[in-house]
Amino acid sequence: RNADVWVINGSKTYISNGNNAQYVIVNAYTDKAAGPRGGISAFLMPADTPGFAVTGTIELMGTATPGVYELTFDECRFQGAGLGARASMSSGRGSQASRKAGYRSICQ
C-alpha cells in the first residue's frame, strides 16, 4: 500500500480465458502480520489497469480448452475502491470469498 493507493505486484498462472478478462479478481496480502488468517484481501481490478498484462499462453496436452494464461502485475495501482473483502484462506473457502467480493463490487 502506498498512501491511499494499493500496489499489486506478482503473477497468476493457469488462468482460464485470462486473455478475455475485463476484470481480474486478485487475492493479495494486505496485512502480512495476520498471515493467511485474515491478512489476505480480494481486489476487483480492471484489466486495463496500467501494469497488468497477459504474458504467456500455457499449452495443455490433450485438451480442448479455450486456453490458459499467465497474468502479470507490475506496479498495478488503484484506489481502495477495488478492495472487495478480506478472505480467510485457512477455511478452505478463500475462493468463494473472493468470488463474492468480486460480485459485490460489480453489483454496487
Side-chain angles (χ1 to χ4, degrees), residues 30-45:
T30 52
D31 183 359
K32 286 194 177 187
R37 296 177 185 253
I40 297 175
S41 299
F43 293 86
L44 182 66
M45 188 185 81

Side-chain angles (χ1 to χ4, degrees), residues 85-107:
R86 292 198 179 225
S88 174
M89 296 300 162
S90 63
S91 68
R93 303 221 181 255
S95 63
Q96 289 179 3
S98 65
R99 281 196 303 270
K100 289 176 184 175
Y103 297 151
R104 189 185 82 203
S105 296
I106 291 170
C107 296

Side-chain angles (χ1 to χ4, degrees), residues 2-94:
N2 185 355
D4 291 335
V5 178
W6 292 96
V7 181
I8 303 292
N9 288 297
S11 63
K12 292 178 78 166
T13 306
Y14 293 105
I15 307 303
S16 298
N17 285 314
N19 64 327
N20 296 321
Q22 294 178 353
Y23 291 90
V24 180
I25 295 175
V26 182
N27 293 315
Y29 274 106
T30 52
D31 183 359
K32 286 194 177 187
R37 296 177 185 253
I40 297 175
S41 299
F43 293 86
L44 182 66
M45 188 185 81
D48 61 357
T49 300
F52 172 76
V54 177
T55 54
T57 302
I58 301 167
E59 300 294 329
L60 299 177
M61 190 162 106
T63 63
T65 66
V68 292
Y69 299 87
E70 181 174 5
L71 311 179
T72 303
F73 307 87
D74 183 22
E75 295 292 313
C76 294
R77 297 173 180 273
F78 50 96
Q79 299 295 323
L83 180 61
R86 292 198 179 225
S88 174
M89 296 300 162
S90 63
S91 68
R93 303 221 181 255

